[in-house]
Amino acid sequence: MEKANTIRYADLFAALGSEPRLEIMRLLFAAYPQGMIVGDIQAKLQIPNSTLSHHLDKLRQEHLISSRKEKQYIWYSVNTKTIEDLLAFLFNSCTLSNPHSREDKLDPVQNPFTEAGLMFEGFLRSMESLFGNVFDRMVLPRGFERFSQKATQVIALAQEESRRLGHQYVGTEQLLLGLIGEGTGTAAQVLSAEGLNLENMRVEVEKHIGHGKGTPLDIPFTPRAKRVLELSVEQSQRLGNQYIGTEHLLLGILRERGGMAVRVLEHLGVNLHSIEQRILQLNKSH
């Protein structure tokens, strides 16, 4: 099995061993989680369409990227699970000679605050020159690949809200705006039933945090926002769901409790317990 794993990861490195493919990966990391369409990638790289198709096919064959069709466009995005597994393989290979590490059974991705996790973070930081700010994306919890299309859209909308306000981070309040802004998911329906809409929530958020001075290309999640994402995975598992939807993100916000999103909801007079119970009822009825 170990030999097979080594061959598998050697194939991944071989797929990455091309300057155009590395540039494609850099672009897709910068556009994560929404991804990019072929035309935008081609405009950035200035390479023939046939050549670009060849490189995209190679990356997709190795599951380094994934594609989806929306209307007449094909979107490409990074497969974070494959990248995460690749980095974990490198880290774990480095610890094979350390019996103490094996006995502790530390998973540096799941346990970023252990000694091994801090070493792993340092390793990811060293990869930034290759892939850009990878760490802020890779600390997303295991299971992120199970986020529904609507939940993924919420993340993208949260980033847009951060840009709109000129902030340098995505916090729980931006996630909340993304949930109501998505419009059709379970979370948006539950929030709308409480009399909330994107306009009044934007006003309330701006009252609390104001406007910033500009947004970087790579927008990191705050620790509380990362915790919300982790809790959304946990809530999905607790409810026995095979996906992570907008309702799980909203439950994550409610369970995290200390973020700005909860303060905004409380200031708007929302009954947090009522929202949670409504989500649980809807989950049982499906």
Side-chain angles (χ1 to χ4, degrees), residues 131-147:
F131 289 128
N133 198 353
V134 180
F135 178 70
D136 288 320
R137 295 174 174 82
M138 296 310 297
V139 293
L140 295 177
R142 285 191 183 275
F144 187 75
E145 69 279 358
R146 293 192 292 114
F147 274 44

Side-chain angles (χ1 to χ4, degrees), residues 30-43:
Y32 186 81
Q34 185 174 5
M36 297 177 68
I37 60 175
V38 174
D40 290 342
I41 299 174
Q42 186 178 20

Side-chain angles (χ1 to χ4, degrees), residues 158-229:
Q159 293 174 324
E160 288 304 313
E161 289 295 332
S162 182
R163 292 188 180 95
R164 185 182 66 83
L165 292 171
H167 289 150
Q168 299 186 355
Y169 59 85
V170 173
T172 62
E173 63 273 28
Q174 282 89 5
L175 289 175
L176 182 62
L177 290 174
L179 286 170
I180 192 71
E182 184 275 327
T184 61
T186 300
Q189 295 175 30
V190 170
L191 293 171
S192 295
E194 295 289 327
L196 302 175
N197 56 57
L198 183 59
E199 183 178 353
N200 61 21
M201 288 181 66
R202 276 177 168 173
V203 170
E204 194 62 34
V205 167
E206 290 179 34
K207 284 181 183 177
H208 282 78
I209 63 175
H211 285 258
K213 297 181 179 180
T215 305
L217 177 62
D218 293 314
I219 312 176
F221 292 94
T222 65
R224 288 191 184 278
K226 291 174 185 175
R227 181 57 182 154
V228 166
L229 297 178

Side-chain angles (χ1 to χ4, degrees), residues 99-113:
H100 180 70
S101 294
R102 292 201 303 274
E103 290 171 4
D104 286 346
K105 297 181 180 179
L106 294 174
D107 182 342
V109 178
Q110 293 279 49
N111 301 282
F113 302 111

